[in-house]
Amino acid sequence: MTNLPISADLIAENNTRLLPALEEDYHALGRKLTRGGVDVDAVKTRVAGFSVAVPSWGAGRGGTRFAKFPLAGEPTNIHEKLEDCAVINQLSRATPRVSPHFPWDKVSDYAGLRQEAAALGLGFDAVNSNTFQDQPGQAHTYATGSLSSTDAATRAQAVAHNIECIEIGRQLGSRDLTVWVGDGTNFPGQQDLGRSLERYLDAAAQIYAALPDDWRMLLEYKMFEPAFYSSVISDWGSSILAAQELGPKAKCLVDLGHHAPNVNIEQIVARLHRFGKLGGFHFNDSKYGDDDLDSGSINPHQLFLVFNELVEAELAPRGDFRPAYMIDQSHNVTDPIESMLSSAEAITACYAKAILVDRAALHGAQEANDTMMAFQALRRAYNVDVGPILAMARYEAGGAIDVLATYRASQWRPRKAQERKAVGLGAGII
Ligand code: AOS
Ligand code: ZN
Ligand code: ZN
């Protein structure tokens, strides 16, 4: 039995007010799309089937290395984080799974946690391990590396933690382990660049060996930070080479903020898919580095082009193509619930626009080397305001037509500010 956090009456009240205008806009868009041979209801059905996971840590306020400004009423533990994630899903109907992070989300009863999530209408997505921070009472420090450490006992500890994450994930109903390591160096000569990768591969193989048959290990790459001279898994090349060496259950994970500025990420997506190694995505946006800004807030066109490749991949799947989509953002100056509502909408909108691309026209123009018409096939779809399709899909699924207005009307955060204990440094990432 589900027990959703926002009053169904409040959602209904808001929707009743907004429905006449939405119906008008939806039908007007439907008529326009029909002229191009597109059935708006069919697009809506595909949009309704799309979902993206939210990260448990994203429910808390993020920060920078300079400061973190907690928000009154933000969650301080996994139970409160789940409640907030349930609000996001109840209103958006697009985020039914939470991606947990260990040991941050550690509890004594994982079967109980799974039930608690289910009662809130949520399941669990990829489990994230953490060997980029030391934990209280930990025997060996990760100060100079984890899976690639020169110290065998440190590597063994990092491997054991990842295997524990798999075990926890099994109890939660997850099927993916995401591994991101901060391992790397700050000085030329600090470590042997070849041997550190060798040690990483050896440790990663031990984790891989512990994966259940239907699980995948997602290797997240990142160019720099926390290491500023070299990172062990710095780019998609390192990630795919490692994934190929580990085996078929190892895949690559693309975080949009983990590349050098202006890198053609959509091309990376196409490359990874070509080799059956596209495993997952962390959505965010960036201006300078791994800024973890809200999806689509800086470069929505890039997000659309990424989805254009993902739709191409859907049409020509290789192996078990089931990308794990997750929002990975740091909400430093907004209410995290509002940011994730807005981001889920931005991400889904880009998926909808990519569906609208006239594939026959695009492929025909590509074959004929008609550059302008190929570009126009993308441009036409990008220019469509798909808002009414998303809103109608949400409405029909029981969500809110206007997610932010309904959230604000619910007074969720002010109420939680009264009920929840003060956060200290809070639950978000720094
Ligand atoms: C780090 O930069 C990566 O994006 C991780 O995916 C994630 O943000 C981290 O595991 C949470 O701290
Ligand atoms: Zn990430
Ligand atoms: Zn990141």
Side-chain angles (χ1 to χ4, degrees):
M1 177 168 134
T2 50
N3 182 18
L4 302 183
I6 303 289
S7 142
D9 289 346
L10 177 87
I11 297 175
E13 248 167 59
N14 274 267
N15 283 351
T16 306
R17 205 164 23 82
L18 297 169
L19 190 58
L22 173 60
E23 280 177 331
E24 218 172 276
D25 293 348
Y26 182 78
H27 293 310
L29 177 59
R31 283 194 295 277
K32 183 180 164 181
L33 293 178
T34 304
R35 286 196 292 278
V38 174
D39 174 11
V40 71
D41 290 330
V43 178
K44 185 187 60 185
T45 304
R46 282 178 73 183
V47 164
F50 178 83
S51 63
V52 57
V54 291
S56 63
W57 62 97
R61 256 290 173 88
T64 68
R65 66 197 172 94
F66 297 101
K68 181 162 169 176
F69 302 100
L71 178 74
E74 75 176 275
T76 55
N77 56 49
I78 183 62
H79 310 290
E80 293 175 350
K81 291 184 216 170
L82 285 178
E83 264 194 323
D84 284 13
C85 293
V87 171
I88 301 166
N89 186 47
Q90 187 183 2
L91 298 176
S92 73
R93 301 289 160 162
T95 61
R97 294 172 310 283
V98 178
S99 197
H101 211 299
F102 295 101
W104 296 341
D105 296 328
K106 211 164 183 159
V107 295
S108 53
D109 174 14
Y110 291 103
L113 193 68
R114 189 175 180 175
Q115 278 176 9
E116 188 180 322
L120 290 164
L122 298 170
F124 286 97
D125 209 271
V127 179
N128 299 266
S129 60
N130 182 343
T131 63
F132 51 86
Q133 288 175 324
D134 285 347
Q135 304 301 328
Q138 183 180 306
H140 307 281
T141 179
Y142 294 132
T144 54
S146 60
L147 294 177
S148 75
S149 169
T150 51
D151 178 48
T154 305
R155 293 198 299 277
Q157 175 184 277
V159 168
H161 166 66
N162 275 279
I163 293 174
E164 187 194 1
C165 284
I166 296 172
E167 186 39 46
I168 294 171
R170 285 171 81 138
Q171 298 178 59
L172 293 178
S174 302
R175 282 168 67 199
D176 294 324
L177 171 72
T178 296
V179 182
W180 172 67
V181 291
D183 294 24
T185 66
N186 276 8
F187 290 89
Q190 184 182 336
Q191 278 184 8
D192 181 290
L193 299 176
R195 279 197 285 270
S196 57
L197 179 62
E198 198 61 53
R199 292 190 294 269
Y200 168 90
L201 288 170
D202 181 69
Q206 294 173 47
I207 301 168
Y208 185 90
L211 285 176
D213 287 346
D214 58 347
W215 271 58
R216 303 178 309 174
M217 183 169 167
L218 306 178
L219 310 181
E220 181 175 5
Y221 60 89
K222 175 168 170 170
M223 184 178 59
F224 75 99
E225 193 197 47
F228 290 97
Y229 169 65
S230 69
S231 290
V232 174
I233 300 297
S234 54
D235 50 23
W236 72 275
S238 311
S239 176
I240 197 170
L241 287 169
Q244 281 175 334
E245 186 151 317
L246 289 173
K249 291 187 276 183
K251 308 271 181 189
C252 306
L253 188 141
V254 180
D255 182 311
L256 289 178
H258 288 190
H259 309 84
N262 302 324
V263 159
N264 186 335
I265 302 175
E266 55 272 25
Q267 188 175 31
I268 294 174
V269 172
R271 291 277 188 280
L272 292 176
H273 180 61
R274 166 62 184 80
F275 294 97
K277 286 295 188 189
L278 186 60
F281 245 92
H282 281 181
F283 291 110
N284 50 52
D285 214 333
S286 73
K287 180 84 178 155
Y288 302 105
D290 191 23
D291 309 342
D292 283 335
L293 297 171
D294 287 18
S295 299
S297 62
I298 305 291
N299 194 348
H301 190 242
Q302 175 184 259
L303 188 58
F304 162 71
L305 294 175
V306 163
F307 268 103
N308 181 53
E309 294 306 323
L310 292 169
V311 168
E312 288 282 351
E314 273 180 11
L315 295 172
R318 284 179 182 268
D320 64 333
F321 181 64
R322 52 174 179 100
Y325 293 140
M326 189 192 89
I327 293 174
D328 187 7
Q329 299 174 171
S330 183
H331 311 112
N332 304 345
V333 295
T334 52
D335 177 330
I337 291 181
E338 294 193 358
S339 267
M340 287 198 274
L341 285 170
S342 158
S343 299
E345 187 156 27
I347 293 164
T348 313
C350 284
Y351 178 58
K353 287 174 190 235
I355 292 171
L356 288 178
V357 171
D358 182 338
R359 297 278 146 199
L362 175 66
H363 297 161
Q366 287 170 341
E367 286 304 310
N369 290 305
D370 188 339
T371 308
M372 182 49 72
M373 287 307 131
F375 170 61
Q376 291 303 320
L378 295 183
R379 181 45 52 97
R380 272 197 306 279
Y382 180 68
N383 282 341
V384 176
D385 175 4
V386 294
I389 303 180
L390 272 59
M392 193 57 92
R394 276 198 302 274
Y395 168 70
E396 289 177 359
I401 291 175
D402 184 333
V403 288
L404 288 174
T406 311
Y407 173 66
R408 291 249 170 139
S410 79
Q411 292 287 305
W412 177 262
R413 194 64 73 192
R415 282 193 280 129
K416 293 298 139 183
Q418 301 297 318
E419 294 165 15
R420 290 175 178 170
K421 69 173 169 28
V423 291
L425 266 185
I429 47 173
I430 301 185

